Amino acid sequence: MTDRQTKILEIVTQQKKVEVAALSELLGVSQVTIRKDLDALESMELLVREHGYAAAKNMSDIGNRLAVRYDVKQKLAQAAAELVSDGETVMIESGSSCALLASCLSETKKEVTIITNSSFIARFIRESGSGDTKVILLGGEYQKDAEVMVGPLVKTCAEAFYVDKLFMGTDGYIPGIGFTCGDMMRAEAMKSMMGSARKAIILTDSSKFQEHGVVLQSRLKDIDMIFTDDQIPEETKTTLENNGIQVKIVQ
């Protein structure tokens, strides 16, 4: 994705619906160029094209969540991918940063196996990478907007595996307590997957440290490492490190 396309995503996400002419004026390029950029972004399912407009997707839709702070999430994914070796099997949960991680692994690693509860991830990486990435999709109840499997069957399926690393996202943070999720069933699915991994690793942009949820996803003691950006509050970073969590900052 180009810098201009990233900027278009930011504008559309903030304003929800923007005219092509307005984007052209804001970014100083022709409407033809804007339309080509919008076509590319729509093909990645990051926004919706309408006649003369670009519109943000439903906020519960993972494609729209992927568009929020896309450039930061891409950097988090690239940094986290360095932990994974060729031929390794990893678990990846259904967060938007995690989807970019899966894509990055598919593009840069050889013969990686991804175990996931996200049908979006399976579809997202279908046409990326070298083609030798294997995906194992955990079964369960299908949540349409998030394109994720949840429910007790996820736990049953996850128990068949044990891997070194689980990568997951988060929706919020409770200082000194742990991380939260906006959906109880998705939180339970993550807990089930954590039981099948030696290390639990969170990918999250720093804005999530300002959000507070009511569904506890994981306590601080359950997390081994966090990838985030340099806007994380220093007090929060210190608290995480004092609880034995490695905090990896991406610029």
Side-chain angles (χ1 to χ4, degrees):
M1 184 182 297
T2 67
D3 289 342
R4 186 177 60 249
Q5 289 169 351
T6 298
K7 186 63 177 177
I8 290 171
L9 267 183
E10 291 177 358
I11 295 169
V12 174
T13 301
Q14 290 170 0
Q15 299 185 24
K16 308 306 179 188
K17 189 173 182 179
V18 188
E19 291 182 340
V20 170
L23 288 170
S24 174
E25 184 175 346
L26 282 169
L27 299 175
V29 295
S30 70
Q31 292 188 30
V32 172
T33 297
I34 292 295
R35 290 190 185 95
K36 289 180 180 179
D37 286 335
L38 293 177
D39 286 341
L41 292 169
E42 186 177 46
S43 71
M44 290 185 276
E45 301 185 21
L46 298 176
L47 50 70
V48 177
R49 287 289 311 276
E50 298 177 4
H51 183 66
Y53 291 87
K57 301 183 78 173
N58 185 325
M59 280 305 296
S60 61
D61 187 294
I62 187 170
N64 192 60
R65 289 190 281 119
L66 193 65
V68 179
R69 303 198 73 192
Y70 182 94
D71 55 336
V72 173
K73 292 176 180 179
Q74 184 66 47
K75 291 175 182 177
L76 297 178
Q78 291 169 346
E82 295 179 7
L83 296 180
V84 181
S85 303
D86 290 343
E88 187 172 353
T89 297
V90 297
M91 279 190 174
I92 302 181
E93 184 268 331
S94 62
S96 53
S97 295
C98 292
L100 292 173
L101 168 62
S103 179
C104 188
L105 293 178
S106 180
E107 292 168 358
T108 63
K109 305 293 180 177
K110 296 179 180 178
E111 298 182 344
V112 167
T113 297
I114 296 172
I115 302 170
T116 183
N117 64 329
S118 170
S119 59
F120 176 85
I121 284 178
R123 181 169 57 83
F124 190 60
I125 67 175
R126 179 178 58 193
E127 297 179 356
S128 67
S130 60
D132 62 2
T133 301
K134 182 178 180 180
V135 178
I136 298 174
L137 188 61
L138 302 176
E141 178 183 342
Y142 180 63
Q143 287 187 341
K144 181 180 178 181
D145 286 338
E147 297 187 49
V148 61
M149 307 300 181
V150 297
L153 190 55
V154 172
K155 177 178 172 61
T156 301
C157 293
E159 287 174 345
F161 304 97
Y162 193 80
V163 299
D164 187 59
K165 304 176 187 75
L166 162 66
F167 297 93
M168 57 187 184
T170 190
D171 294 333
Y173 171 72
I174 303 174
I177 303 296
F179 294 89
T180 62
C181 180
D183 183 279
M184 181 174 292
M185 295 186 73
R186 182 182 160 208
E188 288 302 315
M190 281 190 273
K191 291 175 183 176
S192 297
M193 295 170 74
M194 287 173 64
S196 295
R198 189 172 71 88
K199 295 180 180 178
I201 303 164
I202 286 179
L203 280 64
T204 181
D205 69 88
S206 60
S207 68
K208 300 297 176 62
F209 291 106
Q210 312 300 324
E211 302 292 332
H212 299 273
V214 295
V215 181
L216 189 62
Q217 164 189 329
S218 57
R219 295 190 179 275
L220 295 181
K221 65 181 180 62
D222 300 322
I223 304 303
D224 297 279
M225 186 180 298
I226 291 174
F227 285 85
T228 191
D229 59 83
D230 57 6
Q231 297 304 303
I232 179 175
E234 189 60 36
E235 181 180 355
T236 300
K237 180 175 180 291
T238 299
T239 298
L240 295 173
E241 291 174 336
N242 287 343
N243 279 272
I245 300 173
Q246 286 184 271
V247 180
K248 301 289 188 179
I249 306 295
V250 300
Q251 304 293 329

